[in-house]
Amino acid sequence: MSKIAFIFPGQGAQYCGMGQDFYEQTATGKEIFDMASGLLGFSLPELCFEKNDRLDITEYTQAAMVTTGIAMMRVLEEKTGIRPDVTAGLSLGEYCALAAAGVMSDRDAILTVRQRGILMQEAVPAGLGAMAAVLSLDAAKIEEVLSQIQGVQIANYNCPGQIVISGKKEAVEEAGEKLLAAGAKRVIGLNVSGPFHSAMLTQAGEKLGTVLENIEIHKPVIPYVANVTAQYVTEADEVKPLLMRQVSSSVRFQQSVETMLKDGVDTFIEIGPGKTLAGFIKKITRDAKVFNIEKLEDIDKLTEI
């Protein structure tokens, strides 16, 4: 019998129309989008399905992505009866994983991530921070180069050959030059609204702790893998400290997948817009089945499990 992981992306809000078929064609999807609109005081269908500039701003991106991921997941569960054995998400995708694991209610995951987005947006004035993807250079070499430059760190360990760095704009630019000299194939600046998962967001993580004081956390029904440690979380009291640290710490997605593989996970279902995580997993292992749920019709693929 397959051991299944639900995984959730932390990017992809640029996909206008994400989740629209789930909203228009399923009662459960519509219920979750409408619930989020009522909670947050603005229209999630309008934000997600109509072209607008707000989707690129993290305080809106985060609410849009988590609402969409949860709606897709609940429809998938309802239509197939499939339940995961473990779950994980990349960056803000971890909040969908928390909902999947029963740690937070769907409502609280959406409320929390909205506040998280606002705190992260306000943490660093525009133009002071930056992020860049480093291609085809070993992680240990990147760590060595960055150790000699103040103000920049690894934000994401995505997969072999793709690591993201984050921090002060000048430090990221300096690091890019030195990483190219050290053998990186390319260093690509990312169009983001802040230096996410860097020390520049430490205060935002601390302020998130105040938000989390009002959020009810439950013992996971199934384990989830935390971004910060790449290890299973099985107790309620571990959750809030990890979420506070996650804002300014490296996202260890590759290591998280390796943890799940060692535990016998052989099937990964990416739930959300795009196929980013599916691509990462295929570079981490060739031995697992990988599915992507982006459109309602994609659920039909899961008969192969």
Side-chain angles (χ1 to χ4, degrees):
M1 183 178 286
S2 290
K3 193 163 190 178
I4 297 169
F6 282 1
I7 55 172
F8 299 89
Q11 54 194 340
Q14 67 271 23
Y15 293 89
C16 186
M18 60 181 182
Q20 188 165 359
D21 49 352
F22 288 81
Y23 176 74
E24 293 178 346
Q25 298 176 42
T26 73
T28 296
K30 184 177 190 305
E31 183 181 325
I32 289 169
F33 274 96
D34 289 347
M35 176 264 287
S37 297
L39 280 177
L40 304 182
F42 56 85
S43 170
L44 265 294
E46 182 183 311
L47 177 65
C48 294
F49 312 150
E50 298 177 16
K51 286 193 175 181
N52 62 83
D53 295 332
R54 292 181 297 164
L55 272 182
D56 292 327
I57 302 171
T58 197
E59 67 171 276
Y60 293 104
T61 305
Q62 298 198 24
M65 286 290 292
V66 170
T67 299
T68 301
I70 289 174
M72 290 178 173
M73 171 184 66
R74 296 306 180 201
V75 171
L76 184 158
E77 290 178 332
E78 183 177 77
K79 286 185 171 293
T80 66
I82 294 170
R83 297 292 186 272
D85 299 291
V86 60
T87 185
L90 188 149
S91 190
L92 68 96
E94 188 164 336
Y95 285 80
C96 295
L98 291 167
V103 174
M104 281 186 188
S105 67
D106 296 349
R107 177 184 181 279
D108 281 348
I110 292 165
L111 276 175
T112 304
V113 85
R114 167 65 173 156
Q115 293 303 311
R116 177 182 184 269
I118 291 170
L119 291 170
M120 290 171 68
Q121 191 67 48
E122 293 175 345
V124 181
L128 294 186
M131 298 181 75
V134 183
L135 305 184
S136 302
L137 189 61
D138 182 73
K141 186 63 180 176
I142 295 173
E143 290 166 352
E144 180 188 332
V145 171
L146 297 191
S147 69
Q148 301 164 38
I149 305 169
Q150 284 194 334
V152 61
Q153 67 190 70
I154 290 178
N156 297 64
Y157 294 85
N158 287 335
C159 64
Q162 187 180 130
I163 282 176
V164 175
I165 61 174
S166 180
K168 295 179 181 176
K169 186 172 184 291
E170 297 80 2
V172 170
E173 289 170 352
E174 180 186 348
E177 293 172 5
K178 291 186 175 176
L179 289 166
L180 286 169
K185 188 175 181 181
R186 293 178 70 192
V187 177
I188 304 167
L190 301 182
N191 181 22
V192 292
S193 57
F196 306 132
H197 299 291
S198 77
M200 295 179 81
L201 269 74
T202 300
Q203 268 198 329
E206 292 169 354
K207 290 178 181 177
L208 180 64
T210 304
V211 174
L212 289 168
E213 286 175 7
N214 300 312
I215 298 297
E216 191 171 351
I217 299 292
H218 306 278
K219 180 181 171 71
V221 176
I222 59 167
Y224 80 91
V225 184
N227 285 182
V228 173
T229 61
Q231 298 298 318
Y232 281 14
V233 176
T234 57
E235 298 299 331
D237 60 4
E238 300 176 72
V239 175
K240 290 182 181 180
L242 286 169
L243 291 179
M244 291 169 62
R245 288 171 57 197
Q246 189 234 45
V247 174
S248 59
S249 297
S250 302
V251 173
R252 299 179 180 276
F253 184 74
Q254 179 179 336
Q255 297 92 327
S256 296
V257 171
E258 290 166 349
T259 293
M260 289 183 275
L261 290 169
K262 286 175 189 171
D263 188 48
V265 172
D266 58 4
T267 303
F268 293 87
I269 302 175
E270 177 179 7
I271 303 171
K275 297 179 173 63
T276 301
L277 302 188
F280 293 163
I281 290 169
K282 287 171 183 175
K283 290 181 179 177
I284 295 167
T285 179
R286 294 188 179 276
D287 296 331
K289 290 182 183 177
V290 184
F291 298 89
N292 172 267
I293 305 300
E294 182 177 17
K295 301 290 184 187
L296 193 55
E297 63 197 40
D298 293 334
I299 291 174
D300 296 337
K301 300 175 193 170
L302 299 181
T303 55
E304 300 172 35
I305 292 178

mmCIF file of all heavy atoms in Angstrom, residues 119-162:
data_model
loop_
_atom_site.group_PDB
_atom_site.id
_atom_site.type_symbol
_atom_site.label_atom_id
_atom_site.label_comp_id
_atom_site.label_asym_id
_atom_site.label_seq_id
_atom_site.Cartn_x
_atom_site.Cartn_y
_atom_site.Cartn_z
ATOM 1 N N LEU A 119 2.598 41.266 8.296
ATOM 2 C CA LEU A 119 3.811 41.471 9.096
ATOM 3 C C LEU A 119 5.070 41.379 8.232
ATOM 4 O O LEU A 119 6.008 42.169 8.397
ATOM 5 C CB LEU A 119 3.876 40.432 10.223
ATOM 6 C CG LEU A 119 2.843 40.588 11.336
ATOM 7 C CD1 LEU A 119 2.852 39.377 12.260
ATOM 8 C CD2 LEU A 119 3.107 41.866 12.139
ATOM 9 N N MET A 120 5.084 40.434 7.317
ATOM 10 C CA MET A 120 6.255 40.285 6.447
ATOM 11 C C MET A 120 6.366 41.443 5.468
ATOM 12 O O MET A 120 7.475 41.910 5.159
ATOM 13 C CB MET A 120 6.184 38.934 5.717
ATOM 14 C CG MET A 120 6.400 37.750 6.648
ATOM 15 S SD MET A 120 6.077 36.133 5.894
ATOM 16 C CE MET A 120 7.432 36.019 4.708
ATOM 17 N N GLN A 121 5.219 41.918 4.974
ATOM 18 C CA GLN A 121 5.217 43.038 4.036
ATOM 19 C C GLN A 121 5.746 44.305 4.699
ATOM 20 O O GLN A 121 6.470 45.099 4.092
ATOM 21 C CB GLN A 121 3.795 43.268 3.513
ATOM 22 C CG GLN A 121 3.722 44.239 2.345
ATOM 23 C CD GLN A 121 4.380 43.676 1.102
ATOM 24 O OE1 GLN A 121 4.131 42.548 0.724
ATOM 25 N NE2 GLN A 121 5.242 44.456 0.479
ATOM 26 N N GLU A 122 5.388 44.486 5.970
ATOM 27 C CA GLU A 122 5.773 45.708 6.692
ATOM 28 C C GLU A 122 7.187 45.647 7.260
ATOM 29 O O GLU A 122 7.735 46.669 7.678
ATOM 30 C CB GLU A 122 4.788 45.958 7.841
ATOM 31 C CG GLU A 122 3.374 46.305 7.385
ATOM 32 C CD GLU A 122 2.396 46.420 8.550
ATOM 33 O OE1 GLU A 122 2.749 45.945 9.658
ATOM 34 O OE2 GLU A 122 1.309 46.979 8.350
ATOM 35 N N ALA A 123 7.794 44.471 7.276
ATOM 36 C CA ALA A 123 9.064 44.290 7.994
ATOM 37 C C ALA A 123 10.233 45.028 7.370
ATOM 38 O O ALA A 123 11.116 45.535 8.079
ATOM 39 C CB ALA A 123 9.392 42.803 8.080
ATOM 40 N N VAL A 124 10.265 45.085 6.047
ATOM 41 C CA VAL A 124 11.419 45.665 5.351
ATOM 42 C C VAL A 124 10.923 46.641 4.288
ATOM 43 O O VAL A 124 10.128 46.264 3.426
ATOM 44 C CB VAL A 124 12.267 44.559 4.673
ATOM 45 C CG1 VAL A 124 13.473 45.176 3.973
ATOM 46 C CG2 VAL A 124 12.722 43.532 5.698
ATOM 47 N N PRO A 125 11.366 47.909 4.334
ATOM 48 C CA PRO A 125 10.954 48.864 3.297
ATOM 49 C C PRO A 125 11.324 48.369 1.899
ATOM 50 O O PRO A 125 12.350 47.702 1.714
ATOM 51 C CB PRO A 125 11.746 50.131 3.658
ATOM 52 C CG PRO A 125 12.036 49.992 5.120
ATOM 53 C CD PRO A 125 12.216 48.528 5.359
ATOM 54 N N ALA A 126 10.481 48.692 0.936
ATOM 55 C CA ALA A 126 10.694 48.244 -0.450
ATOM 56 C C ALA A 126 12.076 48.667 -0.949
ATOM 57 O O ALA A 126 12.535 49.783 -0.699
ATOM 58 C CB ALA A 126 9.613 48.823 -1.350
ATOM 59 N N GLY A 127 12.735 47.749 -1.621
ATOM 60 C CA GLY A 127 14.025 48.043 -2.254
ATOM 61 C C GLY A 127 15.240 47.730 -1.411
ATOM 62 O O GLY A 127 16.367 47.710 -1.928
ATOM 63 N N LEU A 128 15.055 47.450 -0.105
ATOM 64 C CA LEU A 128 16.211 47.179 0.759
ATOM 65 C C LEU A 128 16.642 45.716 0.720
ATOM 66 O O LEU A 128 17.798 45.397 0.990
ATOM 67 C CB LEU A 128 15.906 47.576 2.211
ATOM 68 C CG LEU A 128 15.691 49.071 2.491
ATOM 69 C CD1 LEU A 128 15.559 49.296 3.986
ATOM 70 C CD2 LEU A 128 16.843 49.898 1.934
ATOM 71 N N GLY A 129 15.710 44.824 0.411
ATOM 72 C CA GLY A 129 16.018 43.396 0.386
ATOM 73 C C GLY A 129 15.904 42.826 -1.010
ATOM 74 O O GLY A 129 15.386 43.470 -1.929
ATOM 75 N N ALA A 130 16.402 41.596 -1.165
ATOM 76 C CA ALA A 130 16.337 40.924 -2.463
ATOM 77 C C ALA A 130 16.458 39.421 -2.270
ATOM 78 O O ALA A 130 16.896 38.943 -1.205
ATOM 79 C CB ALA A 130 17.461 41.425 -3.380
ATOM 80 N N MET A 131 16.074 38.686 -3.315
ATOM 81 C CA MET A 131 16.244 37.229 -3.328
ATOM 82 C C MET A 131 16.740 36.828 -4.712
ATOM 83 O O MET A 131 16.492 37.517 -5.705
ATOM 84 C CB MET A 131 14.917 36.521 -3.017
ATOM 85 C CG MET A 131 14.350 36.834 -1.652
ATOM 86 S SD MET A 131 12.798 35.976 -1.289
ATOM 87 C CE MET A 131 13.394 34.294 -0.978
ATOM 88 N N ALA A 132 17.456 35.718 -4.775
ATOM 89 C CA ALA A 132 17.958 35.229 -6.061
ATOM 90 C C ALA A 132 18.057 33.714 -6.032
ATOM 91 O O ALA A 132 18.357 33.120 -4.987
ATOM 92 C CB ALA A 132 19.332 35.839 -6.368
ATOM 93 N N ALA A 133 17.791 33.101 -7.167
ATOM 94 C CA ALA A 133 17.938 31.651 -7.310
ATOM 95 C C ALA A 133 19.333 31.344 -7.845
ATOM 96 O O ALA A 133 19.803 31.985 -8.793
ATOM 97 C CB ALA A 133 16.881 31.107 -8.259
ATOM 98 N N VAL A 134 19.986 30.380 -7.216
ATOM 99 C CA VAL A 134 21.337 29.958 -7.620
ATOM 100 C C VAL A 134 21.222 28.576 -8.251
ATOM 101 O O VAL A 134 20.736 27.632 -7.618
ATOM 102 C CB VAL A 134 22.281 29.908 -6.397
ATOM 103 C CG1 VAL A 134 23.700 29.540 -6.841
ATOM 104 C CG2 VAL A 134 22.270 31.231 -5.648
ATOM 105 N N LEU A 135 21.668 28.456 -9.474
ATOM 106 C CA LEU A 135 21.507 27.210 -10.212
ATOM 107 C C LEU A 135 22.831 26.474 -10.394
ATOM 108 O O LEU A 135 23.867 27.090 -10.668
ATOM 109 C CB LEU A 135 20.890 27.483 -11.597
ATOM 110 C CG LEU A 135 19.560 28.249 -11.607
ATOM 111 C CD1 LEU A 135 19.020 28.360 -13.029
ATOM 112 C CD2 LEU A 135 18.534 27.605 -10.692
ATOM 113 N N SER A 136 22.757 25.175 -10.202
ATOM 114 C CA SER A 136 23.866 24.257 -10.510
ATOM 115 C C SER A 136 25.125 24.536 -9.709
ATOM 116 O O SER A 136 26.234 24.579 -10.263
ATOM 117 C CB SER A 136 24.184 24.284 -12.019
ATOM 118 O OG SER A 136 23.044 23.935 -12.769
ATOM 119 N N LEU A 137 24.952 24.715 -8.408
ATOM 120 C CA LEU A 137 26.104 24.816 -7.515
ATOM 121 C C LEU A 137 25.751 24.082 -6.227
ATOM 122 O O LEU A 137 24.650 24.223 -5.688
ATOM 123 C CB LEU A 137 26.450 26.278 -7.217
ATOM 124 C CG LEU A 137 27.775 26.519 -6.469
ATOM 125 C CD1 LEU A 137 28.964 26.013 -7.280
ATOM 126 C CD2 LEU A 137 27.956 28.002 -6.142
ATOM 127 N N ASP A 138 26.691 23.312 -5.727
ATOM 128 C CA ASP A 138 26.476 22.492 -4.546
ATOM 129 C C ASP A 138 26.142 23.353 -3.316
ATOM 130 O O ASP A 138 26.729 24.424 -3.116
ATOM 131 C CB ASP A 138 27.755 21.676 -4.289
ATOM 132 C CG ASP A 138 27.614 20.745 -3.104
ATOM 133 O OD1 ASP A 138 26.905 19.745 -3.239
ATOM 134 O OD2 ASP A 138 28.200 21.050 -2.048
ATOM 135 N N ALA A 139 25.230 22.855 -2.498
ATOM 136 C CA ALA A 139 24.784 23.606 -1.316
ATOM 137 C C ALA A 139 25.939 23.943 -0.386
ATOM 138 O O ALA A 139 26.007 25.059 0.153
ATOM 139 C CB ALA A 139 23.720 22.801 -0.568
ATOM 140 N N ALA A 140 26.843 23.005 -0.192
ATOM 141 C CA ALA A 140 27.972 23.241 0.714
ATOM 142 C C ALA A 140 28.842 24.386 0.206
ATOM 143 O O ALA A 140 29.351 25.199 1.000
ATOM 144 C CB ALA A 140 28.798 21.968 0.868
ATOM 145 N N LYS A 141 29.016 24.469 -1.109
ATOM 146 C CA LYS A 141 29.814 25.547 -1.693
ATOM 147 C C LYS A 141 29.113 26.889 -1.512
ATOM 148 O O LYS A 141 29.752 27.908 -1.202
ATOM 149 C CB LYS A 141 30.063 25.278 -3.182
ATOM 150 C CG LYS A 141 31.020 26.279 -3.830
ATOM 151 C CD LYS A 141 32.405 26.192 -3.211
ATOM 152 C CE LYS A 141 33.373 27.184 -3.833
ATOM 153 N NZ LYS A 141 34.697 27.175 -3.174
ATOM 154 N N ILE A 142 27.785 26.893 -1.688
ATOM 155 C CA ILE A 142 27.023 28.129 -1.494
ATOM 156 C C ILE A 142 27.131 28.583 -0.037
ATOM 157 O O ILE A 142 27.368 29.764 0.239
ATOM 158 C CB ILE A 142 25.550 27.926 -1.892
ATOM 159 C CG1 ILE A 142 25.450 27.632 -3.397
ATOM 160 C CG2 ILE A 142 24.707 29.153 -1.535
ATOM 161 C CD1 ILE A 142 24.067 27.243 -3.871
ATOM 162 N N GLU A 143 26.984 27.650 0.879
ATOM 163 C CA GLU A 143 27.109 27.982 2.309
ATOM 164 C C GLU A 143 28.481 28.575 2.613
ATOM 165 O O GLU A 143 28.601 29.538 3.381
ATOM 166 C CB GLU A 143 26.862 26.732 3.158
ATOM 167 C CG GLU A 143 25.412 26.259 3.144
ATOM 168 C CD GLU A 143 25.245 24.851 3.699
ATOM 169 O OE1 GLU A 143 26.268 24.196 3.959
ATOM 170 O OE2 GLU A 143 24.088 24.423 3.858
ATOM 171 N N GLU A 144 29.517 28.005 2.006
ATOM 172 C CA GLU A 144 30.891 28.487 2.222
ATOM 173 C C GLU A 144 31.053 29.922 1.727
ATOM 174 O O GLU A 144 31.619 30.777 2.430
ATOM 175 C CB GLU A 144 31.868 27.562 1.485
ATOM 176 C CG GLU A 144 33.328 27.958 1.638
ATOM 177 C CD GLU A 144 34.238 27.133 0.732
ATOM 178 O OE1 GLU A 144 33.895 25.981 0.415
ATOM 179 O OE2 GLU A 144 35.287 27.681 0.329
ATOM 180 N N VAL A 145 30.539 30.208 0.527
ATOM 181 C CA VAL A 145 30.645 31.560 -0.036
ATOM 182 C C VAL A 145 29.859 32.561 0.819
ATOM 183 O O VAL A 145 30.348 33.649 1.152
ATOM 184 C CB VAL A 145 30.143 31.580 -1.495
ATOM 185 C CG1 VAL A 145 30.035 33.027 -2.007
ATOM 186 C CG2 VAL A 145 31.084 30.769 -2.394
ATOM 187 N N LEU A 146 28.643 32.187 1.211
ATOM 188 C CA LEU A 146 27.800 33.107 1.987
ATOM 189 C C LEU A 146 28.349 33.374 3.380
ATOM 190 O O LEU A 146 28.099 34.445 3.954
ATOM 191 C CB LEU A 146 26.370 32.562 2.098
ATOM 192 C CG LEU A 146 25.571 32.394 0.802
ATOM 193 C CD1 LEU A 146 24.109 32.108 1.123
ATOM 194 C CD2 LEU A 146 25.682 33.613 -0.098
ATOM 195 N N SER A 147 29.099 32.431 3.913
ATOM 196 C CA SER A 147 29.654 32.609 5.260
ATOM 197 C C SER A 147 30.632 33.790 5.322
ATOM 198 O O SER A 147 30.919 34.304 6.399
ATOM 199 C CB SER A 147 30.358 31.329 5.718
ATOM 200 O OG SER A 147 31.542 31.114 4.973
ATOM 201 N N GLN A 148 31.106 34.229 4.171
ATOM 202 C CA GLN A 148 32.067 35.335 4.114
ATOM 203 C C GLN A 148 31.401 36.676 3.791
ATOM 204 O O GLN A 148 32.082 37.689 3.653
ATOM 205 C CB GLN A 148 33.124 35.021 3.053
ATOM 206 C CG GLN A 148 33.888 33.724 3.327
ATOM 207 C CD GLN A 148 34.643 33.233 2.102
ATOM 208 O OE1 GLN A 148 35.184 34.026 1.350
ATOM 209 N NE2 GLN A 148 34.674 31.923 1.903
ATOM 210 N N ILE A 149 30.062 36.668 3.674
ATOM 211 C CA ILE A 149 29.338 37.894 3.308
ATOM 212 C C ILE A 149 28.250 38.148 4.352
ATOM 213 O O ILE A 149 27.403 37.295 4.592
ATOM 214 C CB ILE A 149 28.685 37.766 1.917
ATOM 215 C CG1 ILE A 149 29.728 37.384 0.860
ATOM 216 C CG2 ILE A 149 27.987 39.069 1.521
ATOM 217 C CD1 ILE A 149 29.123 36.987 -0.475
ATOM 218 N N GLN A 150 28.268 39.313 4.951
ATOM 219 C CA GLN A 150 27.241 39.648 5.949
ATOM 220 C C GLN A 150 25.951 40.059 5.260
ATOM 221 O O GLN A 150 25.961 40.728 4.231
ATOM 222 C CB GLN A 150 27.721 40.786 6.842
ATOM 223 C CG GLN A 150 28.740 40.345 7.879
ATOM 224 C CD GLN A 150 28.927 41.403 8.955
ATOM 225 O OE1 GLN A 150 28.706 42.571 8.729
ATOM 226 N NE2 GLN A 150 29.335 40.978 10.140
ATOM 227 N N GLY A 151 24.814 39.634 5.840
ATOM 228 C CA GLY A 151 23.527 40.124 5.359
ATOM 229 C C GLY A 151 22.854 39.289 4.304
ATOM 230 O O GLY A 151 21.884 39.735 3.685
ATOM 231 N N VAL A 152 23.345 38.072 4.069
ATOM 232 C CA VAL A 152 22.712 37.196 3.082
ATOM 233 C C VAL A 152 22.771 35.758 3.598
ATOM 234 O O VAL A 152 23.717 35.377 4.286
ATOM 235 C CB VAL A 152 23.389 37.324 1.694
ATOM 236 C CG1 VAL A 152 24.861 36.936 1.749
ATOM 237 C CG2 VAL A 152 22.644 36.496 0.647
ATOM 238 N N GLN A 153 21.742 34.976 3.290
ATOM 239 C CA GLN A 153 21.700 33.580 3.742
ATOM 240 C C GLN A 153 20.893 32.748 2.749
ATOM 241 O O GLN A 153 20.264 33.291 1.833
ATOM 242 C CB GLN A 153 21.047 33.496 5.122
ATOM 243 C CG GLN A 153 19.557 33.849 5.132
ATOM 244 C CD GLN A 153 19.007 33.998 6.530
ATOM 245 O OE1 GLN A 153 19.339 34.951 7.242
ATOM 246 N NE2 GLN A 153 18.149 33.065 6.938
ATOM 247 N N ILE A 154 20.926 31.436 2.931
ATOM 248 C CA ILE A 154 20.092 30.567 2.108
ATOM 249 C C ILE A 154 18.656 30.660 2.621
ATOM 250 O O ILE A 154 18.388 30.487 3.800
ATOM 251 C CB ILE A 154 20.603 29.116 2.139
ATOM 252 C CG1 ILE A 154 21.938 29.026 1.389
ATOM 253 C CG2 ILE A 154 19.565 28.168 1.513
ATOM 254 C CD1 ILE A 154 22.559 27.647 1.389
ATOM 255 N N ALA A 155 17.740 30.964 1.697
ATOM 256 C CA ALA A 155 16.315 31.037 2.033
ATOM 257 C C ALA A 155 15.628 29.702 1.790
ATOM 258 O O ALA A 155 14.773 29.294 2.564
ATOM 259 C CB ALA A 155 15.637 32.132 1.203
ATOM 260 N N ASN A 156 15.993 29.043 0.685
ATOM 261 C CA ASN A 156 15.324 27.797 0.302
ATOM 262 C C ASN A 156 16.329 26.779 -0.222
ATOM 263 O O ASN A 156 17.057 27.072 -1.178
ATOM 264 C CB ASN A 156 14.315 28.026 -0.830
ATOM 265 C CG ASN A 156 13.178 28.940 -0.476
ATOM 266 O OD1 ASN A 156 13.398 30.110 -0.204
ATOM 267 N ND2 ASN A 156 11.970 28.426 -0.486
ATOM 268 N N TYR A 157 16.315 25.592 0.382
ATOM 269 C CA TYR A 157 16.979 24.428 -0.205
ATOM 270 C C TYR A 157 15.890 23.690 -0.997
ATOM 271 O O TYR A 157 15.157 22.873 -0.442
ATOM 272 C CB TYR A 157 17.529 23.510 0.881
ATOM 273 C CG TYR A 157 18.660 24.083 1.719
ATOM 274 C CD1 TYR A 157 18.399 24.873 2.834
ATOM 275 C CD2 TYR A 157 19.992 23.796 1.415
ATOM 276 C CE1 TYR A 157 19.428 25.371 3.627
ATOM 277 C CE2 TYR A 157 21.028 24.288 2.203
ATOM 278 C CZ TYR A 157 20.740 25.077 3.293
ATOM 279 O OH TYR A 157 21.775 25.568 4.074
ATOM 280 N N ASN A 158 15.766 24.002 -2.283
ATOM 281 C CA ASN A 158 14.638 23.468 -3.056
ATOM 282 C C ASN A 158 14.872 22.038 -3.529
ATOM 283 O O ASN A 158 14.045 21.152 -3.330
ATOM 284 C CB ASN A 158 14.348 24.359 -4.260
ATOM 285 C CG ASN A 158 13.682 25.668 -3.856
ATOM 286 O OD1 ASN A 158 13.032 25.743 -2.812
ATOM 287 N ND2 ASN A 158 13.852 26.695 -4.661
ATOM 288 N N CYS A 159 15.998 21.838 -4.203
ATOM 289 C CA CYS A 159 16.332 20.532 -4.764
ATOM 290 C C CYS A 159 17.777 20.595 -5.236
ATOM 291 O O CYS A 159 18.369 21.679 -5.268
ATOM 292 C CB CYS A 159 15.399 20.185 -5.937
ATOM 293 S SG CYS A 159 15.546 21.300 -7.356
ATOM 294 N N PRO A 160 18.383 19.457 -5.593
ATOM 295 C CA PRO A 160 19.757 19.510 -6.103
ATOM 296 C C PRO A 160 19.849 20.464 -7.300
ATOM 297 O O PRO A 160 19.060 20.375 -8.243
ATOM 298 C CB PRO A 160 20.019 18.066 -6.524
ATOM 299 C CG PRO A 160 19.120 17.249 -5.647
ATOM 300 C CD PRO A 160 17.878 18.074 -5.491
ATOM 301 N N GLY A 161 20.777 21.412 -7.208
ATOM 302 C CA GLY A 161 20.980 22.350 -8.311
ATOM 303 C C GLY A 161 20.123 23.590 -8.263
ATOM 304 O O GLY A 161 20.236 24.452 -9.135
ATOM 305 N N GLN A 162 19.267 23.739 -7.245
ATOM 306 C CA GLN A 162 18.476 24.971 -7.128
ATOM 307 C C GLN A 162 18.332 25.385 -5.670
ATOM 308 O O GLN A 162 17.667 24.719 -4.883
ATOM 309 C CB GLN A 162 17.088 24.834 -7.740
ATOM 310 C CG GLN A 162 16.378 26.185 -7.756
ATOM 311 C CD GLN A 162 14.985 26.145 -8.343
ATOM 312 O OE1 GLN A 162 14.049 26.646 -7.747
ATOM 313 N NE2 GLN A 162 14.848 25.543 -9.506
#
